[in-house]
Amino acid sequence: MEQAAGERPLTVLGIETSCDDTAAAVVRFSADGCVILSNIVWTDHDDHQPYGGVVPEIAARSHVERLDHTVEKALDHAGIMPKDLNAIAATAGPGLVGGVMVGLTTAKAIAMRHDLALIPVNHLEGHALSPRLTETAPFPYLLLLVSGGHTQLVRVDDLGRYVRLGVTIDDAAGEAFDKSAKLLGLGQPGGPHIEAAAKSGNPDRFDFPLPLARHKGCNFSFSGLKTAMREAATALASPTAQDVADLAASFQHAAARHLQAQTEKAMMMLDFPEGDRRLAIAGGVAGNAEIKKMLRELCATNSWALIAPPPKLCTDNGAMIALAGAERLAAGLTPPMQEALAFAPRARWPLAPPTEGRAIGGGRKGPKA
Ligand code: KG4
Ligand code: ZN
């Protein structure tokens, strides 16, 4: 069943159900790297649209309805039978606990039925390793994780060795995009809608503040930006389509500048030797073209390499969970089977202890690490 690193390739099924995406994927991992054999993501934002955000009960119910089929499809697309797998990895937290429970329980059942190793995975570790799915990203690297539930800068030293350098002190970046989109009457999740509206907007029309500009550390804050956005929007009696586009473009530009400025501070803090200057980005917001452009400029100015996975692998997916499981299996960092089977879903599960700042709660995904 279990294999050591360097032996024949490991084939792992990954299951992700921590928010509103029902996802399953199969990856093959070897000393040469990772091949994604299948990557199925079932996203149905329409279920949550009337409520203006993810409703935990609706998400959990739809995972129950869709997960079996999603797993079957992932195995089918990969041309893999369960007996060909070396292990099953499933998100065990942090996230909406009802959804995590559906994914983890399903993984436990498949593992027991087919006598496979089971690996409970931290969703944040999945995001942290996701650049390694398709890119050359040797350890160490600086990670900017920007999603709907999390915004943090992490030094990724090795598998399982993470140091958090900065974290949001209020909203996550994706949450700020989602709330701003709601304010502008755009759809959910808001990020892609803001990005689309911003294409025909003027980013210089509204002068939004640069948060934490005078603070030394590299924490983030998006609540001031959100307030500035609300004030600008309500000052317009009946906003035209052009007003909405200008507001979206100005907000997006301000958020990108903030992410760029705090990432630059982390780069300076780290002082990596020349050969190790790699910035990897992950999480749904990392798919934003304007944000990527600003980070690419930052990297070019400071002679860092930018590792930017395709947007489909930035948002939640099963492939990153399968990879995290495969890497842990190869390194011998998996719990004994009895422990894995007893593993309880976790709403909170920090990836790394904070070096500064504070952990926060609230937001789209509920309390978070
Ligand atoms: O990583 P993800 O799929 O799920 C979480 O773990 O949260 O990220 C979802 C978040 C949402 O807040 C969504 O609005 C945001 O990522 N997002 C974007 C873009 N695509 C998704 N934000 C800005 N620009 C985008 N293109
Ligand atoms: Zn995520």
Side-chain angles (χ1 to χ4, degrees):
M1 201 156 61
E2 275 192 33
Q3 333 245 319
E7 290 179 16
R8 69 184 172 84
L10 298 173
T11 307
V12 176
L13 169 70
I15 293 178
E16 159 57 38
T17 54
S18 67
C19 192
D20 55 340
D21 298 314
T22 310
V26 179
V27 307
R28 186 160 285 159
F29 179 73
S30 69
D32 295 335
C34 177
V35 180
I36 302 174
L37 300 182
S38 64
N39 188 24
I40 312 294
V41 182
W42 185 292
T43 308
D44 195 350
H45 301 300
D46 290 350
D47 287 357
H48 304 271
Q49 204 68 255
Y51 308 96
V54 176
V55 182
E57 288 74 16
I58 295 178
R61 186 181 293 257
S62 75
H63 291 313
V64 170
E65 285 165 4
R66 290 168 185 155
L67 186 56
D68 285 351
H69 182 58
T70 308
V71 167
E72 265 170 36
K73 216 166 151 185
L75 292 171
D76 198 41
H77 280 212
I80 290 284
M81 304 286 281
K83 68 173 176 47
D84 303 324
L85 293 167
N86 296 99
I88 301 189
T91 296
L96 299 174
V97 88
V100 175
M101 201 179 291
V102 175
L104 190 56
T105 307
T106 302
K108 286 176 182 176
I110 302 173
M112 283 174 72
R113 165 77 179 79
H114 298 282
D115 191 25
L116 297 166
L118 170 72
I119 309 161
V121 167
N122 183 319
H123 179 80
L124 299 177
E125 181 166 73
H127 276 304
L129 300 177
S130 65
R132 292 162 64 83
L133 281 166
T134 49
E135 319 295 315
T136 307
F139 302 120
Y141 51 84
L142 170 63
L143 173 80
L144 172 65
L145 169 57
V146 270
S147 71
H150 305 275
T151 297
Q152 33 187 281
L153 278 157
V154 178
R155 200 180 76 207
V156 180
D157 287 335
D158 203 344
L159 176 67
R161 286 181 46 217
Y162 311 100
V163 176
R164 201 173 76 189
L165 305 169
V167 66
T168 180
I169 58 169
D170 41 57
D171 290 348
E175 203 177 340
F177 270 90
D178 294 342
K179 287 178 180 170
S180 298
K182 197 170 171 186
L183 194 78
L184 296 178
L186 303 172
Q188 294 294 320
H193 290 278
I194 294 264
E195 183 169 16
K199 284 204 166 75
S200 48
N202 172 9
D204 299 322
R205 175 163 163 204
F206 299 95
D207 190 18
F208 291 143
L210 183 63
L212 304 181
R214 289 205 204 103
H215 287 67
K216 266 205 191 119
C218 53
N219 281 344
F220 299 92
S221 168
F222 287 93
S223 67
L225 254 182
K226 196 182 59 192
T227 307
M229 168 88 169
R230 191 176 49 238
E231 281 169 3
T234 44
L236 300 164
S238 46
T240 63
Q242 190 57 52
D243 291 333
V244 169
D246 292 345
L247 281 164
S250 301
F251 169 81
Q252 178 176 266
H253 186 62
R257 276 177 66 221
H258 180 40
L259 292 170
Q260 186 194 47
Q262 302 311 85
T263 304
E264 183 166 28
K265 288 181 193 168
M267 285 173 162
M268 300 306 140
M269 220 185 259
L270 282 178
D271 197 21
F272 273 172
E274 231 174 271
D276 286 348
R277 291 183 188 156
R278 287 177 287 273
L279 169 68
I281 56 175
V285 183
N288 183 289
E290 167 77 4
I291 290 170
K292 254 192 286 200
K293 189 184 112 215
M294 302 270 291
L295 293 171
R296 194 166 289 121
E297 284 169 10
L298 171 69
C299 285
T301 308
N302 292 285
S303 304
W304 280 57
L306 178 69
I307 302 169
K312 197 172 177 333
L313 298 175
C314 286
T315 47
D316 287 350
N317 64 82
M320 68 182 192
I321 303 304
L323 174 65
E327 293 219 29
R328 284 195 163 263
L329 188 60
L333 289 177
T334 51
M337 195 57 179
Q338 283 313 314
E339 213 177 285
L341 288 173
F343 203 99
R346 297 181 179 178
R348 289 166 183 262
W349 188 0
L351 182 61
T355 50
E356 60 177 58
R358 62 190 172 92
I360 50 141
R364 192 171 80 98
K365 285 185 144 183
K368 47 207 174 247

